[in-house]
mmCIF file of all heavy atoms in Angstrom:
data_model
loop_
_atom_site.group_PDB
_atom_site.id
_atom_site.type_symbol
_atom_site.label_atom_id
_atom_site.label_comp_id
_atom_site.label_asym_id
_atom_site.label_seq_id
_atom_site.Cartn_x
_atom_site.Cartn_y
_atom_site.Cartn_z
ATOM 1 N N GLU A 1 0.892 -1.165 -0.033
ATOM 2 C CA GLU A 1 -0.006 0.019 0.118
ATOM 3 C C GLU A 1 0.783 1.262 -0.019
ATOM 4 O O GLU A 1 0.493 2.275 -0.675
ATOM 5 C CB GLU A 1 -0.925 0.012 1.211
ATOM 6 C CG GLU A 1 -2.028 -0.993 1.161
ATOM 7 C CD GLU A 1 -2.858 -1.112 2.421
ATOM 8 O OE1 GLU A 1 -2.216 -0.933 3.552
ATOM 9 O OE2 GLU A 1 -4.002 -1.527 2.451
ATOM 10 N N GLY A 2 1.973 1.231 0.711
ATOM 11 C CA GLY A 2 2.868 2.377 0.765
ATOM 12 C C GLY A 2 3.442 2.635 -0.683
ATOM 13 O O GLY A 2 3.442 3.884 -0.997
ATOM 14 N N PHE A 3 3.868 1.694 -1.353
ATOM 15 C CA PHE A 3 4.412 1.880 -2.689
ATOM 16 C C PHE A 3 3.240 2.337 -3.629
ATOM 17 O O PHE A 3 3.477 3.076 -4.535
ATOM 18 C CB PHE A 3 5.204 0.776 -3.218
ATOM 19 C CG PHE A 3 6.535 0.520 -2.580
ATOM 20 C CD1 PHE A 3 6.775 -0.582 -1.752
ATOM 21 C CD2 PHE A 3 7.526 1.404 -2.859
ATOM 22 C CE1 PHE A 3 8.094 -0.704 -1.174
ATOM 23 C CE2 PHE A 3 8.762 1.232 -2.200
ATOM 24 C CZ PHE A 3 9.074 0.195 -1.362
ATOM 25 N N ARG A 4 2.018 1.771 -3.464
ATOM 26 C CA ARG A 4 0.958 2.110 -4.330
ATOM 27 C C ARG A 4 0.623 3.678 -4.110
ATOM 28 O O ARG A 4 0.265 4.283 -5.079
ATOM 29 C CB ARG A 4 -0.292 1.301 -3.928
ATOM 30 C CG ARG A 4 -1.491 1.620 -4.753
ATOM 31 C CD ARG A 4 -2.618 0.711 -4.422
ATOM 32 N NE ARG A 4 -3.081 0.929 -3.025
ATOM 33 C CZ ARG A 4 -4.065 0.072 -2.448
ATOM 34 N NH1 ARG A 4 -4.682 -0.856 -3.131
ATOM 35 N NH2 ARG A 4 -4.344 0.324 -1.152
ATOM 36 N N SER A 5 0.693 4.102 -2.864
ATOM 37 C CA SER A 5 0.388 5.493 -2.660
ATOM 38 C C SER A 5 1.324 6.424 -3.459
ATOM 39 O O SER A 5 1.000 7.648 -3.609
ATOM 40 C CB SER A 5 0.392 5.728 -1.184
ATOM 41 O OG SER A 5 1.790 5.800 -0.693
ATOM 42 N N GLN A 6 2.525 6.017 -3.886
ATOM 43 C CA GLN A 6 3.454 6.633 -4.617
ATOM 44 C C GLN A 6 3.132 6.724 -6.141
ATOM 45 O O GLN A 6 3.862 7.170 -6.952
ATOM 46 C CB GLN A 6 4.930 6.223 -4.416
ATOM 47 C CG GLN A 6 5.311 6.232 -2.909
ATOM 48 C CD GLN A 6 6.653 5.621 -2.614
ATOM 49 O OE1 GLN A 6 7.372 5.095 -3.663
ATOM 50 N NE2 GLN A 6 7.062 5.488 -1.445
ATOM 51 N N GLY A 7 2.148 5.964 -6.481
ATOM 52 C CA GLY A 7 1.572 5.832 -7.899
ATOM 53 C C GLY A 7 2.397 4.771 -8.627
ATOM 54 O O GLY A 7 2.274 4.598 -9.917
ATOM 55 N N ARG A 8 2.984 3.809 -7.919
ATOM 56 C CA ARG A 8 3.735 2.694 -8.499
ATOM 57 C C ARG A 8 2.805 1.480 -8.796
ATOM 58 O O ARG A 8 1.792 1.278 -8.143
ATOM 59 C CB ARG A 8 4.944 2.264 -7.706
ATOM 60 C CG ARG A 8 5.858 3.469 -7.406
ATOM 61 C CD ARG A 8 7.152 2.865 -6.896
ATOM 62 N NE ARG A 8 7.981 3.792 -6.265
ATOM 63 C CZ ARG A 8 9.191 3.562 -5.923
ATOM 64 N NH1 ARG A 8 9.783 2.395 -6.030
ATOM 65 N NH2 ARG A 8 9.994 4.653 -5.481
ATOM 66 N N LYS A 9 3.154 0.745 -9.809
ATOM 67 C CA LYS A 9 2.502 -0.549 -10.084
ATOM 68 C C LYS A 9 3.241 -1.679 -9.314
ATOM 69 O O LYS A 9 4.527 -1.921 -9.539
ATOM 70 C CB LYS A 9 2.634 -0.971 -11.570
ATOM 71 C CG LYS A 9 1.824 -0.052 -12.525
ATOM 72 C CD LYS A 9 2.142 -0.196 -13.978
ATOM 73 C CE LYS A 9 2.273 -1.640 -14.429
ATOM 74 N NZ LYS A 9 2.582 -1.820 -15.863
ATOM 75 N N VAL A 10 2.583 -2.165 -8.294
ATOM 76 C CA VAL A 10 3.098 -3.105 -7.294
ATOM 77 C C VAL A 10 2.648 -4.467 -7.578
ATOM 78 O O VAL A 10 1.388 -4.608 -7.838
ATOM 79 C CB VAL A 10 2.818 -2.620 -5.831
ATOM 80 C CG1 VAL A 10 3.395 -3.531 -4.771
ATOM 81 C CG2 VAL A 10 3.203 -1.187 -5.605
ATOM 82 N N MET A 11 3.415 -5.484 -7.425
ATOM 83 C CA MET A 11 2.977 -6.861 -7.535
ATOM 84 C C MET A 11 3.193 -7.450 -6.127
ATOM 85 O O MET A 11 4.300 -7.449 -5.575
ATOM 86 C CB MET A 11 3.725 -7.688 -8.520
ATOM 87 C CG MET A 11 3.272 -9.157 -8.659
ATOM 88 S SD MET A 11 4.011 -10.058 -9.906
ATOM 89 C CE MET A 11 5.802 -9.905 -9.624
ATOM 90 N N LEU A 12 2.047 -7.823 -5.489
ATOM 91 C CA LEU A 12 2.140 -8.456 -4.160
ATOM 92 C C LEU A 12 1.984 -10.034 -4.329
ATOM 93 O O LEU A 12 1.002 -10.436 -5.005
ATOM 94 C CB LEU A 12 0.985 -7.955 -3.309
ATOM 95 C CG LEU A 12 0.779 -8.557 -1.976
ATOM 96 C CD1 LEU A 12 1.912 -8.510 -0.999
ATOM 97 C CD2 LEU A 12 -0.528 -7.985 -1.325
ATOM 98 N N GLN A 13 2.890 -10.727 -3.775
ATOM 99 C CA GLN A 13 2.764 -12.235 -3.754
ATOM 100 C C GLN A 13 2.748 -12.700 -2.380
ATOM 101 O O GLN A 13 3.586 -12.277 -1.503
ATOM 102 C CB GLN A 13 4.017 -12.773 -4.557
ATOM 103 C CG GLN A 13 4.161 -12.414 -5.985
ATOM 104 C CD GLN A 13 5.307 -13.066 -6.671
ATOM 105 O OE1 GLN A 13 6.105 -13.566 -6.045
ATOM 106 N NE2 GLN A 13 5.360 -12.942 -8.005
ATOM 107 N N MET A 14 1.938 -13.619 -2.089
ATOM 108 C CA MET A 14 1.760 -14.196 -0.666
ATOM 109 C C MET A 14 1.695 -15.652 -0.817
ATOM 110 O O MET A 14 0.804 -16.284 -1.418
ATOM 111 C CB MET A 14 0.493 -13.682 0.000
ATOM 112 C CG MET A 14 0.435 -13.941 1.464
ATOM 113 S SD MET A 14 -0.863 -13.027 2.323
ATOM 114 C CE MET A 14 -0.292 -11.317 2.034
ATOM 115 N N ASP A 15 2.692 -16.353 -0.209
ATOM 116 C CA ASP A 15 2.853 -17.742 -0.288
ATOM 117 C C ASP A 15 2.918 -18.259 1.289
ATOM 118 O O ASP A 15 4.041 -18.212 1.783
ATOM 119 C CB ASP A 15 3.929 -18.161 -1.037
ATOM 120 C CG ASP A 15 4.247 -19.660 -1.340
ATOM 121 O OD1 ASP A 15 3.176 -20.393 -1.012
ATOM 122 O OD2 ASP A 15 5.228 -20.147 -1.773
ATOM 123 N N SER A 16 1.871 -18.820 1.930
ATOM 124 C CA SER A 16 0.686 -19.034 1.223
ATOM 125 C C SER A 16 -0.480 -18.522 2.139
ATOM 126 O O SER A 16 -0.306 -18.439 3.386
ATOM 127 C CB SER A 16 0.459 -20.558 1.016
ATOM 128 O OG SER A 16 0.307 -21.234 2.282
ATOM 129 N N VAL A 17 -1.704 -18.362 1.540
ATOM 130 C CA VAL A 17 -2.845 -17.957 2.323
ATOM 131 C C VAL A 17 -3.268 -19.055 3.260
ATOM 132 O O VAL A 17 -3.800 -18.875 4.329
ATOM 133 C CB VAL A 17 -3.891 -17.585 1.268
ATOM 134 C CG1 VAL A 17 -5.251 -17.470 2.028
ATOM 135 C CG2 VAL A 17 -3.662 -16.348 0.563
ATOM 136 N N THR A 18 -3.060 -20.305 2.759
ATOM 137 C CA THR A 18 -3.410 -21.452 3.652
ATOM 138 C C THR A 18 -2.763 -21.449 5.025
ATOM 139 O O THR A 18 -3.458 -21.576 6.032
ATOM 140 C CB THR A 18 -3.088 -22.783 2.941
ATOM 141 O OG1 THR A 18 -3.682 -22.798 1.640
ATOM 142 C CG2 THR A 18 -3.559 -24.023 3.738
ATOM 143 N N ARG A 19 -1.559 -21.117 5.048
ATOM 144 C CA ARG A 19 -0.798 -21.063 6.310
ATOM 145 C C ARG A 19 -1.206 -19.784 7.111
ATOM 146 O O ARG A 19 -1.151 -19.764 8.351
ATOM 147 C CB ARG A 19 0.661 -21.145 6.000
ATOM 148 C CG ARG A 19 1.108 -22.476 5.475
ATOM 149 C CD ARG A 19 2.504 -22.670 5.219
ATOM 150 N NE ARG A 19 2.797 -23.948 4.799
ATOM 151 C CZ ARG A 19 3.457 -24.304 3.654
ATOM 152 N NH1 ARG A 19 3.757 -23.315 2.736
ATOM 153 N NH2 ARG A 19 3.719 -25.558 3.206
ATOM 154 N N PHE A 20 -1.486 -18.779 6.422
ATOM 155 C CA PHE A 20 -2.050 -17.597 7.088
ATOM 156 C C PHE A 20 -3.365 -17.857 7.720
ATOM 157 O O PHE A 20 -3.606 -17.541 8.923
ATOM 158 C CB PHE A 20 -2.298 -16.459 5.978
ATOM 159 C CG PHE A 20 -3.120 -15.331 6.481
ATOM 160 C CD1 PHE A 20 -2.566 -14.289 7.394
ATOM 161 C CD2 PHE A 20 -4.348 -15.118 5.979
ATOM 162 C CE1 PHE A 20 -3.276 -13.229 7.785
ATOM 163 C CE2 PHE A 20 -5.046 -13.989 6.543
ATOM 164 C CZ PHE A 20 -4.539 -13.075 7.347
ATOM 165 N N ALA A 21 -4.235 -18.616 7.076
ATOM 166 C CA ALA A 21 -5.536 -19.072 7.608
ATOM 167 C C ALA A 21 -5.389 -20.030 8.770
ATOM 168 O O ALA A 21 -6.078 -20.048 9.766
ATOM 169 C CB ALA A 21 -6.357 -19.755 6.540
ATOM 170 N N ARG A 22 -4.358 -20.931 8.700
ATOM 171 C CA ARG A 22 -4.128 -21.798 9.835
ATOM 172 C C ARG A 22 -3.567 -21.135 11.010
ATOM 173 O O ARG A 22 -3.988 -21.450 12.246
ATOM 174 C CB ARG A 22 -3.083 -22.926 9.366
ATOM 175 C CG ARG A 22 -3.732 -23.899 8.329
ATOM 176 C CD ARG A 22 -2.517 -24.778 7.815
ATOM 177 N NE ARG A 22 -3.078 -25.736 6.950
ATOM 178 C CZ ARG A 22 -2.392 -26.512 6.127
ATOM 179 N NH1 ARG A 22 -0.984 -26.504 6.264
ATOM 180 N NH2 ARG A 22 -2.883 -27.419 5.238
ATOM 181 N N ALA A 23 -2.866 -20.056 10.874
ATOM 182 C CA ALA A 23 -2.415 -19.195 12.064
ATOM 183 C C ALA A 23 -3.611 -18.488 12.646
ATOM 184 O O ALA A 23 -3.717 -18.376 13.898
ATOM 185 C CB ALA A 23 -1.335 -18.210 11.592
ATOM 186 N N LEU A 24 -4.517 -17.925 11.787
ATOM 187 C CA LEU A 24 -5.751 -17.364 12.269
ATOM 188 C C LEU A 24 -6.598 -18.403 13.071
ATOM 189 O O LEU A 24 -7.200 -18.090 14.169
ATOM 190 C CB LEU A 24 -6.600 -16.871 11.159
ATOM 191 C CG LEU A 24 -6.079 -15.487 10.419
ATOM 192 C CD1 LEU A 24 -6.961 -15.229 9.232
ATOM 193 C CD2 LEU A 24 -6.106 -14.416 11.395
ATOM 194 N N ARG A 25 -6.672 -19.711 12.532
ATOM 195 C CA ARG A 25 -7.365 -20.763 13.320
ATOM 196 C C ARG A 25 -6.856 -20.928 14.713
ATOM 197 O O ARG A 25 -7.517 -21.176 15.660
ATOM 198 C CB ARG A 25 -7.377 -21.993 12.343
ATOM 199 C CG ARG A 25 -8.033 -23.111 13.093
ATOM 200 C CD ARG A 25 -8.038 -24.426 12.271
ATOM 201 N NE ARG A 25 -6.708 -24.806 11.905
ATOM 202 C CZ ARG A 25 -6.492 -25.833 11.125
ATOM 203 N NH1 ARG A 25 -7.462 -26.528 10.482
ATOM 204 N NH2 ARG A 25 -5.267 -26.350 10.894
ATOM 205 N N GLU A 26 -5.536 -21.010 14.738
ATOM 206 C CA GLU A 26 -4.746 -21.183 16.021
ATOM 207 C C GLU A 26 -5.132 -20.216 16.999
ATOM 208 O O GLU A 26 -5.380 -20.501 18.148
ATOM 209 C CB GLU A 26 -3.263 -21.356 15.709
ATOM 210 C CG GLU A 26 -2.462 -21.683 16.964
ATOM 211 C CD GLU A 26 -0.922 -21.785 16.644
ATOM 212 O OE1 GLU A 26 -0.633 -22.146 15.516
ATOM 213 O OE2 GLU A 26 -0.118 -21.476 17.503
ATOM 214 N N ILE A 27 -5.140 -18.975 16.489
ATOM 215 C CA ILE A 27 -5.513 -17.840 17.466
ATOM 216 C C ILE A 27 -6.955 -17.893 17.894
ATOM 217 O O ILE A 27 -7.299 -17.830 19.037
ATOM 218 C CB ILE A 27 -5.136 -16.469 16.728
ATOM 219 C CG1 ILE A 27 -3.574 -16.350 16.470
ATOM 220 C CG2 ILE A 27 -5.715 -15.269 17.562
ATOM 221 C CD1 ILE A 27 -3.277 -15.189 15.586
ATOM 222 N N GLY A 28 -7.824 -18.114 16.875
ATOM 223 C CA GLY A 28 -9.282 -18.072 17.142
ATOM 224 C C GLY A 28 -9.660 -19.237 18.177
ATOM 225 O O GLY A 28 -10.436 -18.981 19.106
ATOM 226 N N LEU A 29 -9.096 -20.411 17.994
ATOM 227 C CA LEU A 29 -9.418 -21.568 18.895
ATOM 228 C C LEU A 29 -8.862 -21.261 20.273
ATOM 229 O O LEU A 29 -9.353 -21.784 21.212
ATOM 230 C CB LEU A 29 -8.924 -22.888 18.283
ATOM 231 C CG LEU A 29 -9.574 -23.339 16.982
ATOM 232 C CD1 LEU A 29 -8.796 -24.644 16.485
ATOM 233 C CD2 LEU A 29 -10.943 -23.494 17.046
ATOM 234 N N SER A 30 -7.673 -20.699 20.343
ATOM 235 C CA SER A 30 -7.046 -20.408 21.662
ATOM 236 C C SER A 30 -7.856 -19.459 22.503
ATOM 237 O O SER A 30 -7.752 -19.573 23.817
ATOM 238 C CB SER A 30 -5.608 -19.895 21.403
ATOM 239 O OG SER A 30 -5.663 -18.578 21.006
ATOM 240 N N VAL A 31 -8.692 -18.693 21.785
ATOM 241 C CA VAL A 31 -9.467 -17.688 22.694
ATOM 242 C C VAL A 31 -10.819 -18.131 22.798
ATOM 243 O O VAL A 31 -11.701 -17.382 23.297
ATOM 244 C CB VAL A 31 -9.393 -16.206 22.026
ATOM 245 C CG1 VAL A 31 -7.980 -15.745 22.023
ATOM 246 C CG2 VAL A 31 -10.002 -16.214 20.660
ATOM 247 N N GLY A 32 -11.176 -19.326 22.398
ATOM 248 C CA GLY A 32 -12.394 -19.920 22.671
ATOM 249 C C GLY A 32 -13.555 -19.824 21.508
ATOM 250 O O GLY A 32 -14.721 -20.114 21.802
ATOM 251 N N GLU A 33 -13.127 -19.446 20.293
ATOM 252 C CA GLU A 33 -14.043 -19.499 19.192
ATOM 253 C C GLU A 33 -14.456 -20.825 18.779
ATOM 254 O O GLU A 33 -13.741 -21.816 18.990
ATOM 255 C CB GLU A 33 -13.425 -18.855 18.011
ATOM 256 C CG GLU A 33 -13.432 -17.295 17.927
ATOM 257 C CD GLU A 33 -13.120 -16.821 16.573
ATOM 258 O OE1 GLU A 33 -13.990 -16.798 15.691
ATOM 259 O OE2 GLU A 33 -11.913 -16.446 16.319
ATOM 260 N N PRO A 34 -15.682 -21.010 18.411
ATOM 261 C CA PRO A 34 -16.127 -22.441 17.956
ATOM 262 C C PRO A 34 -15.691 -22.789 16.614
ATOM 263 O O PRO A 34 -15.404 -21.806 15.762
ATOM 264 C CB PRO A 34 -17.672 -22.387 17.914
ATOM 265 C CG PRO A 34 -17.944 -20.841 17.663
ATOM 266 C CD PRO A 34 -16.849 -20.084 18.375
ATOM 267 N N ALA A 35 -15.373 -24.009 16.258
ATOM 268 C CA ALA A 35 -14.963 -24.538 14.974
ATOM 269 C C ALA A 35 -16.146 -24.645 14.160
ATOM 270 O O ALA A 35 -17.051 -25.493 14.600
ATOM 271 C CB ALA A 35 -14.106 -25.665 15.038
ATOM 272 N N VAL A 36 -16.309 -24.040 12.925
ATOM 273 C CA VAL A 36 -17.604 -24.074 12.303
ATOM 274 C C VAL A 36 -17.428 -24.788 10.893
ATOM 275 O O VAL A 36 -18.408 -25.396 10.390
ATOM 276 C CB VAL A 36 -18.206 -22.760 12.062
ATOM 277 C CG1 VAL A 36 -18.583 -22.164 13.379
ATOM 278 C CG2 VAL A 36 -17.260 -21.729 11.369
ATOM 279 N N ARG A 37 -16.357 -24.694 10.322
ATOM 280 C CA ARG A 37 -16.064 -25.287 8.935
ATOM 281 C C ARG A 37 -14.693 -26.111 8.956
ATOM 282 O O ARG A 37 -13.665 -25.434 8.809
ATOM 283 C CB ARG A 37 -16.145 -24.274 7.864
ATOM 284 C CG ARG A 37 -17.450 -23.703 7.516
ATOM 285 C CD ARG A 37 -17.341 -22.585 6.564
ATOM 286 N NE ARG A 37 -16.864 -22.943 5.278
ATOM 287 C CZ ARG A 37 -16.718 -22.172 4.225
ATOM 288 N NH1 ARG A 37 -16.963 -20.846 4.368
ATOM 289 N NH2 ARG A 37 -16.305 -22.646 3.013
ATOM 290 N N ARG A 38 -14.812 -27.341 8.995
ATOM 291 C CA ARG A 38 -13.665 -28.222 8.943
ATOM 292 C C ARG A 38 -12.586 -27.718 9.960
ATOM 293 O O ARG A 38 -11.347 -27.764 9.656
ATOM 294 C CB ARG A 38 -13.024 -28.205 7.567
ATOM 295 C CG ARG A 38 -13.949 -28.805 6.502
ATOM 296 C CD ARG A 38 -13.896 -30.251 6.373
ATOM 297 N NE ARG A 38 -12.548 -30.649 5.862
ATOM 298 C CZ ARG A 38 -12.146 -30.688 4.623
ATOM 299 N NH1 ARG A 38 -12.987 -30.503 3.703
ATOM 300 N NH2 ARG A 38 -10.886 -31.183 4.289
ATOM 301 N N GLY A 39 -13.058 -27.374 11.158
ATOM 302 C CA GLY A 39 -12.080 -26.928 12.205
ATOM 303 C C GLY A 39 -11.695 -25.480 12.195
ATOM 304 O O GLY A 39 -10.932 -25.114 13.017
ATOM 305 N N PHE A 40 -12.140 -24.759 11.304
ATOM 306 C CA PHE A 40 -11.882 -23.224 11.144
ATOM 307 C C PHE A 40 -12.990 -22.500 11.919
ATOM 308 O O PHE A 40 -14.130 -22.658 11.590
ATOM 309 C CB PHE A 40 -11.753 -22.797 9.684
ATOM 310 C CG PHE A 40 -10.497 -23.277 9.049
ATOM 311 C CD1 PHE A 40 -10.561 -24.475 8.298
ATOM 312 C CD2 PHE A 40 -9.265 -22.652 9.175
ATOM 313 C CE1 PHE A 40 -9.341 -24.953 7.745
ATOM 314 C CE2 PHE A 40 -8.227 -23.021 8.546
ATOM 315 C CZ PHE A 40 -8.153 -24.243 7.799
ATOM 316 N N PRO A 41 -12.605 -21.567 12.662
ATOM 317 C CA PRO A 41 -13.520 -20.736 13.455
ATOM 318 C C PRO A 41 -14.008 -19.589 12.492
ATOM 319 O O PRO A 41 -13.436 -19.333 11.406
ATOM 320 C CB PRO A 41 -12.794 -20.131 14.615
ATOM 321 C CG PRO A 41 -11.344 -20.115 14.095
ATOM 322 C CD PRO A 41 -11.179 -21.263 13.256
ATOM 323 N N PRO A 42 -15.221 -18.904 12.768
ATOM 324 C CA PRO A 42 -15.664 -17.817 11.901
ATOM 325 C C PRO A 42 -14.771 -16.696 11.626
ATOM 326 O O PRO A 42 -14.781 -16.142 10.484
ATOM 327 C CB PRO A 42 -16.910 -17.314 12.696
ATOM 328 C CG PRO A 42 -17.295 -18.492 13.633
ATOM 329 C CD PRO A 42 -15.986 -19.122 13.994
ATOM 330 N N SER A 43 -13.831 -16.350 12.495
ATOM 331 C CA SER A 43 -13.008 -15.252 12.310
ATOM 332 C C SER A 43 -12.051 -15.429 11.100
ATOM 333 O O SER A 43 -11.682 -14.492 10.486
ATOM 334 C CB SER A 43 -12.059 -15.017 13.573
ATOM 335 O OG SER A 43 -11.364 -16.052 13.872
ATOM 336 N N VAL A 44 -11.682 -16.603 10.817
ATOM 337 C CA VAL A 44 -10.798 -16.927 9.562
ATOM 338 C C VAL A 44 -11.548 -16.372 8.356
ATOM 339 O O VAL A 44 -10.890 -15.672 7.547
ATOM 340 C CB VAL A 44 -10.499 -18.397 9.421
ATOM 341 C CG1 VAL A 44 -9.715 -18.631 8.199
ATOM 342 C CG2 VAL A 44 -9.704 -18.844 10.700
ATOM 343 N N PHE A 45 -12.829 -16.723 8.156
ATOM 344 C CA PHE A 45 -13.490 -16.423 6.893
ATOM 345 C C PHE A 45 -13.927 -14.978 6.944
ATOM 346 O O PHE A 45 -14.287 -14.308 5.862
ATOM 347 C CB PHE A 45 -14.708 -17.308 6.788
ATOM 348 C CG PHE A 45 -14.345 -18.719 6.738
ATOM 349 C CD1 PHE A 45 -14.550 -19.544 7.900
ATOM 350 C CD2 PHE A 45 -13.719 -19.337 5.723
ATOM 351 C CE1 PHE A 45 -14.140 -20.757 7.950
ATOM 352 C CE2 PHE A 45 -13.311 -20.620 5.692
ATOM 353 C CZ PHE A 45 -13.475 -21.412 6.867
ATOM 354 N N ALA A 46 -13.916 -14.216 8.088
ATOM 355 C CA ALA A 46 -14.117 -12.825 8.129
ATOM 356 C C ALA A 46 -12.853 -12.037 7.810
ATOM 357 O O ALA A 46 -12.874 -10.934 7.245
ATOM 358 C CB ALA A 46 -14.666 -12.275 9.566
ATOM 359 N N GLU A 47 -11.713 -12.707 8.186
ATOM 360 C CA GLU A 47 -10.326 -11.950 7.981
ATOM 361 C C GLU A 47 -9.939 -11.983 6.532
ATOM 362 O O GLU A 47 -9.243 -11.120 6.078
ATOM 363 C CB GLU A 47 -9.352 -12.498 8.932
ATOM 364 C CG GLU A 47 -7.975 -11.821 8.921
ATOM 365 C CD GLU A 47 -8.095 -10.420 9.495
ATOM 366 O OE1 GLU A 47 -9.036 -10.113 10.215
ATOM 367 O OE2 GLU A 47 -7.239 -9.593 9.176
#
């Protein structure tokens, strides 16, 4: 976003979203969220 604000064409690559989602799941379950879809809490699909 910082480079985009300078008017630049930025390519963002993220490897991987799956492991990002698993980290969110770990946090959500640790604070007591219910698992709703294959062990993933609702906060994952909101984030």
Side-chain angles (χ1 to χ4, degrees):
E1 288 171 329
F3 285 114
R4 178 179 64 185
S5 71
Q6 301 172 5
R8 301 195 192 188
K9 288 167 48 178
V10 183
M11 179 170 60
L12 171 64
Q13 299 181 347
M14 192 170 296
D15 187 14
S16 70
V17 169
T18 303
R19 294 183 176 118
F20 169 75
R22 289 173 181 171
L24 288 171
R25 176 178 62 183
E26 185 178 329
I27 295 168
L29 295 178
S30 70
V31 298
E33 277 194 81
V36 293
R37 289 175 62 183
R38 297 276 293 274
F40 287 93
S43 60
V44 174
F45 304 102
E47 186 65 26

